[in-house]
């Protein structure tokens, strides 16, 4: 760094010297004059026109001052002689030719800086050229160094002297912390295990969905153990040059051995740990060479090095089997989505140090956020804090948390979007249809809120309370399908016309019904079997096709079973909304007035408790309706509740 600064100042100094030399040359030059040859000067002296000759300090120039003050001075150059007198003598001008001792010859004293600046003016271009080439060579040398450093590890090292994160900062994964506590004890007291001849796992693989806290848990292990922590992403091993990844792996493990006991954390290890032989580059893919080096280094660890490898991934299914065998990643730690108690603990961690109102109940927040992971909860708390600051509140209240949860799950409200009265009425009946069908089905999800205010990409939302359920029954699936069709059925009953508003609902219905038939064995006609095997490229890490392991006749039967399930749910929704047509009108008109209904208000309306009379009383069944507009893109409303069931994508 010091040499770089010195070089920079040297360049600045040379540039400054050049500027000074140029300015000196202009300032020291005489005032603008006419250049005359020595022969003419001799003639003017013989004609008694010259009053004074001023010879410059370097003896190279003569300034001619005339007797006529109105006449501008002239400049003559001297060369190859020692004095002006000798030069003039060659042109026949001697001392006898001077009249009245004129002209007077004056020799100016040479400047102390003039010679130096002249030298600078002479040598400065050469110095600048030399400096330019020196700079080019340094850049080339730096490039070579960078090329050499390609093989160096880019892992970031964190010392354990001042830990900032511990196990108390990680919540919602008690089982995972208990598994890793053994690693911490080994790093603190390795002799305790060596005495019994025990071998600590060389590698621990953290597996979990995105946002569950895998990286945070790895940092907590380092903070608890108080040892150096090397962190690197799997993608940082691979470059465009062949062999760079393997070289970086070797350098990383060499650094770890020098700083043992320590922890190596490789985030997103699936970037380099995917199954070999499946890449687009063939069996000699650069990723495979990097993976081979990782395998070699993990096997090459001595039992006394006390270096533990932590790796995180959300795709353990695509990892190479050699990476998961005993002796490498011996242990898998599953970090699942937190349950209600886990979410409550995570909320308490993120609420530390924030001004929270006394009315805030953390248990209610945990119940209202099923399916949330740690990242979602952190985002929710941050959104609530932003809302409180925007509203100039002194503390974060329950209303801010409620709105923050809605913003995270559904997206922000788009109240600025203008909806025509026809589109607004259509949306009200559509969302009311969803809510009524779910209300009268025993196995349907619990209603949370209904709104016709556009949120996110949705034109209206019927929001349900998700459940922390690991399994879904056939009755649950059928209720979800019927609920999804409730909006379209309401449009059919009220308007006698169908629109594109249910396009997303139909996609969800088809997906669920097909999953019931092909994946979960919930079809009476096809029996207990899975139809269709997913095909994927490990290199891509995603499904690209489905292998049909069934005949065309079975495919036709699958389509029939899917159609049967959907038609049955459609008839069920039609029966409910036809029998409760008055409730459909009531809820729709209420939505047109207030735009949003909470679950409690929805139930009170159905039970007739404290129900305000709508300003526009509902028309009787069978009365003519308004003309529907042409379907618009904004009418397509994705229903977030159907996106959340933990069912895999069907065939």
């Amino acid at each position: 760094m010091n040499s770089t600064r010195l070089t920079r100042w040297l360049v600045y100094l040379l540039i400054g010297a050049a500027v000074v030399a140029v300015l000196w040359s202009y300032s020291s030059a005489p005032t603008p004059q006419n250049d005359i040859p020595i022969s003419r000067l001799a003639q003017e002296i013989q004609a008694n026109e010259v009053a004074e000759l001023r010879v410059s300090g370097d003896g190279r120039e003569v300034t001619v001052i005339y007797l006529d003050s109105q006449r501008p001075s002239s400049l003559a150059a001297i060369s190859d002689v020692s004095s002006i007198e000798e030069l003039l003598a060659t042109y026949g001008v001697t001392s006898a030719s001077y009249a009245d001792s004129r002209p007077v010859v004056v020799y100016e004293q040479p400047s102390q800086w003039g010679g130096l600046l002249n030298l600078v003016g002479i040598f400065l271009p050469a110095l600048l050229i030399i400096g330019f080439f020196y700079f080019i060579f340094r850049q080339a040398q730096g490039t070579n160094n960078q090329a050499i450093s390609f093989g160096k590890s880019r892992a970031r090292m964190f010392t354990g002297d001042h830990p900032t994160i511990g196990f108390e900062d990680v919540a919602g994964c008690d089982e995972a912390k208990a598994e890793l506590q053994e690693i911490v004890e080994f790093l603190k007291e390795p002799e305790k295990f060596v005495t019994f001849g025990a071998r600590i796992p060389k590698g621990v693989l953290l597996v979990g969905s995105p946002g569950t806290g895998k990286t945070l848990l790895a940092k907590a292990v380092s903070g608890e153990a108080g040892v150096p922590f090397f962190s690197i992403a799997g993608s940082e091993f691979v470059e465009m040059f062949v062999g760079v990844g393997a070289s970086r792996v070797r350098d990383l493990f060499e650094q770890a051995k020098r700083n043992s006991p320590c922890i190596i954390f490789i985030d997103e290890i699936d970037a380099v740990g995917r199954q070999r032989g499946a890449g687009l580059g063939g069996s000699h893919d650069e990723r495979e060479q990097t993976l081979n080096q990782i395998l070699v280094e993990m096997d090459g660890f001595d039992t006394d090095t006390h270096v533990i490898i932590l790796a995180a991934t959300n795709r353990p299914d695509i990892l190479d089997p050699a990476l998961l065998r005993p002796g490498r990643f011996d242990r898998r730690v599953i970090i699942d989505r937190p349950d209600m108690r886990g979410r409550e603990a995570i909320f308490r961690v993120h609420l530390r140090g924030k001004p929270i109102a006394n009315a805030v109940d953390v248990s209610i927040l945990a119940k209202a956020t099923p399916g949330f992971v740690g990242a979602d909860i952190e985002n929710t708390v941050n959104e609530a804090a932003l809302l409180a600051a925007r509203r100039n509140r002194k503390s974060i209240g329950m209303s801010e948390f409620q709105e923050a949860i809605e913003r995270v799950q559904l997206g922000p409200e788009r109240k600025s979007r203008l909806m025509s009265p026809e589109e607004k009425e259509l949306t009200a009946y559509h969302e009311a249809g969803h809510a009524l069908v779910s209300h009268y089905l025993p196995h349907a999800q619990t209603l949370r809120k209904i709104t016709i205010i556009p949120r996110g990409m949705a034109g209206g939302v019927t929001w349900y309370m998700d459940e922390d359920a690991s399994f879904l029954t056939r009755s649950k699936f059928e209720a979800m399908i019927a609920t999804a069709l409730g909006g379209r059925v309401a449009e059919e009953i009220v308007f006698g016309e169908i629109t594109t508003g249910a396009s997303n609902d139909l996609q969800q219905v088809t997906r669920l019904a097909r999953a019931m038939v092909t994946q979960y064995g919930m079809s009476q006609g096809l029996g207990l079997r899975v139809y269709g095997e997913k095909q994927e490229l490990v290199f891509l890490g995603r499904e690209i096709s489905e292998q049909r392991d069934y005949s065309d006749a079975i495919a036709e039967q699958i389509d029939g079973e899917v159609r049967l399930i959907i038609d049955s749910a459609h008839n069920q929704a039609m029966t409910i909304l036809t029998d409760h047509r008055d409730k459909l009108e009531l809820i729709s008109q209420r939505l047109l007035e207030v735009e949003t209904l909470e679950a409690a208000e929805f139930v009170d309306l159905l039970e007739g408790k404290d129900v305000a009379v709508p300003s526009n009383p509902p028309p009787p069944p069978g009365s003519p309706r308004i003309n529907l507009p042409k379907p618009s893109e904004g009418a397509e409303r994705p229903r977030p509740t159907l996106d959340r069931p933990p069912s895999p994508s069907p065939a």
Side-chain angles (χ1 to χ4, degrees), residues 45 48 50-51 67 97-104:
I45 293 175
N48 197 22
V50 180
L67 292 173
S97 302
Y98 298 172
D100 301 328
S101 298
R102 289 193 297 267
V104 179

Side-chain angles (χ1 to χ4, degrees), residues 504-579:
N504 186 262
D505 297 329
L506 296 180
Q507 293 177 8
Q508 303 293 336
V509 165
T510 305
R511 179 179 66 84
L512 293 175
R514 191 168 182 83
M516 292 175 61
V517 176
T518 61
Q519 298 184 31
Y520 304 135
M522 296 182 179
S523 171
Q524 297 178 356
L526 294 174
L528 306 179
R529 185 190 154 181
V530 175
Y531 296 90
E533 182 180 355
K534 298 295 185 297
Q535 295 286 328
E536 70 177 24
L537 286 178
V538 179
F539 182 78
L540 299 176
R542 63 175 56 190
E543 299 172 359
I544 61 173
S545 64
E546 178 191 83
Q547 180 181 356
R548 287 184 54 176
D549 53 358
Y550 48 86
S551 62
D552 293 338
I554 296 296
E556 185 177 355
Q557 192 174 354
I558 290 174
D559 294 337
E561 290 290 331
V562 172
R563 176 68 179 272
L564 183 63
I565 293 174
I566 296 176
D567 289 345
S568 176
H570 181 272
N571 295 332
Q572 192 176 19
M574 180 68 72
T575 301
I576 293 175
L577 295 181
T578 302
D579 295 341

Side-chain angles (χ1 to χ4, degrees), residues 285-338:
D285 185 73
E286 174 65 14
R287 289 179 175 85
E288 293 190 7
Q289 305 304 322
T290 305
L291 175 60
N292 292 335
Q293 190 63 42
I294 293 176
L295 299 177
V296 171
E297 293 291 342
M298 293 185 69
D299 271 344
F301 268 164
D302 200 6
T303 56
D304 297 330
T305 55
H306 307 323
V307 178
I308 296 178
I309 306 174
L310 298 181
T313 181
N314 53 14
R315 292 296 307 274
D317 54 312
I318 67 174
L319 295 180
D320 193 276
L323 197 63
L324 303 177
R325 74 161 176 81
R328 289 178 176 140
F329 283 102
D330 304 85
R331 184 174 297 180
R332 288 192 187 186
V333 177
I334 307 300
I335 306 176
D336 202 357
R337 293 178 179 270

Side-chain angles (χ1 to χ4, degrees), residues 320-398:
D320 193 276
L323 197 63
L324 303 177
R325 74 161 176 81
R328 289 178 176 140
F329 283 102
D330 304 85
R331 184 174 297 180
R332 288 192 187 186
V333 177
I334 307 300
I335 306 176
D336 202 357
R337 293 178 179 270
D339 55 8
M340 189 182 71
R341 291 182 297 177
R343 293 193 300 272
E344 183 176 349
I346 296 174
F347 265 111
R348 296 187 184 279
V349 170
H350 291 293
L351 292 178
R352 295 175 185 172
K354 293 181 174 60
I356 307 299
N358 297 328
V360 175
D361 192 342
V362 181
S363 61
I364 296 178
L365 297 179
K367 293 179 181 178
T369 53
F372 274 36
V373 297
D376 296 328
I377 295 176
E378 181 184 10
N379 189 26
T380 300
V381 175
N382 184 64
E383 287 287 343
L386 293 176
L387 288 172
R390 193 181 305 162
R391 298 170 180 175
N392 297 322
R393 303 287 179 81
K394 295 183 178 180
S395 60
I396 308 174
M398 203 67 184

Side-chain angles (χ1 to χ4, degrees), residues 24-340:
W24 175 267
S25 62
Y26 280 102
S27 63
S28 62
T31 57
Q33 299 158 333
N34 297 323
D35 293 335
I36 61 174
I38 296 297
S39 59
R40 183 177 175 181
L41 175 60
Q43 295 175 3
E44 292 177 347
I45 293 175
Q46 293 175 349
N48 197 22
E49 298 178 359
V50 180
E52 183 179 344
L53 298 178
R54 296 179 181 177
V55 183
S56 62
D58 56 1
R60 292 181 176 274
E61 295 179 342
V62 178
T63 303
V64 183
I65 308 298
Y66 296 97
L67 292 173
D68 188 2
S69 60
Q70 302 298 325
R71 184 177 178 181
S73 59
S74 300
L75 187 66
I78 305 175
S79 61
D80 300 331
V81 294
S82 59
S83 65
I84 182 63
E85 290 87 349
E86 295 178 359
L87 181 60
L88 292 174
T90 59
Y91 289 91
V93 180
T94 61
S95 58
S97 302
Y98 298 172
D100 301 328
S101 298
R102 289 193 297 267
V104 179
V105 180
V106 179
Y107 288 92
E108 297 179 350
Q109 294 294 328
S111 174
Q112 298 179 354
W113 296 97
L116 179 61
L117 291 177
N118 288 332
L119 292 176
V120 171
I122 295 173
F123 292 104
L124 184 62
L127 293 176
L128 291 177
I129 294 174
I130 294 173
F132 174 76
F133 282 104
Y134 175 78
F135 178 77
I136 295 296
F137 288 141
R138 285 293 301 269
Q139 289 295 109
Q141 185 180 3
T143 304
N144 293 332
N145 290 336
Q146 292 178 5
I148 297 174
S149 67
F150 280 168
K152 301 296 183 181
S153 171
R154 297 185 178 181
R156 293 160 294 278
M157 178 179 176
F158 304 92
T159 61
D161 301 334
H162 304 284
T164 58
I165 298 177
F167 280 154
E168 69 275 2
D169 301 312
V170 183
C173 51
D174 296 337
E175 294 82 2
K177 289 196 295 185
E179 289 282 338
L180 296 174
Q181 186 65 39
E182 195 174 288
I183 306 296
V184 175
E185 293 180 1
F186 172 78
L187 293 172
K188 287 184 176 181
E189 301 176 327
E191 296 81 7
K192 176 181 177 182
F193 297 87
V194 174
T195 304
F196 290 90
R199 179 183 61 83
I200 201 68
K202 292 182 179 180
V204 179
L205 185 63
L206 306 178
V207 180
S209 302
T212 51
K214 300 184 294 294
T215 305
L216 182 65
L217 192 58
K219 292 181 179 180
V221 172
S222 174
E224 291 289 335
V227 298
F229 181 82
F230 293 89
S231 177
I232 190 171
S235 59
E236 296 183 48
F237 287 112
V238 183
E239 292 279 356
M240 63 180 292
F241 299 101
V242 177
V244 171
S247 177
R248 288 180 177 176
V249 171
R250 289 191 296 269
D251 184 71
L252 172 62
F253 280 78
E254 290 175 1
Q255 294 183 41
K257 292 177 182 179
R258 290 194 300 266
N259 293 274
S260 65
C262 65
I263 296 174
I264 295 177
F265 176 62
I266 305 176
D267 200 5
E268 305 295 343
I269 193 174
D270 52 276
V272 294
R274 300 181 180 185
Q275 184 175 350
R276 290 171 291 181
L280 298 179
S283 60
H284 293 84
D285 185 73
E286 174 65 14
R287 289 179 175 85
E288 293 190 7
Q289 305 304 322
T290 305
L291 175 60
N292 292 335
Q293 190 63 42
I294 293 176
L295 299 177
V296 171
E297 293 291 342
M298 293 185 69
D299 271 344
F301 268 164
D302 200 6
T303 56
D304 297 330
T305 55
H306 307 323
V307 178
I308 296 178
I309 306 174
L310 298 181
T313 181
N314 53 14
R315 292 296 307 274
D317 54 312
I318 67 174
L319 295 180
D320 193 276
L323 197 63
L324 303 177
R325 74 161 176 81
R328 289 178 176 140
F329 283 102
D330 304 85
R331 184 174 297 180
R332 288 192 187 186
V333 177
I334 307 300
I335 306 176
D336 202 357
R337 293 178 179 270
D339 55 8
M340 189 182 71

Side-chain angles (χ1 to χ4, degrees), residues 573-587:
M574 180 68 72
T575 301
I576 293 175
L577 295 181
T578 302
D579 295 341
H580 302 279
R581 173 67 183 275
D582 56 337
K583 301 294 193 313
L584 178 63
E585 298 287 347
L586 180 64
I587 300 299

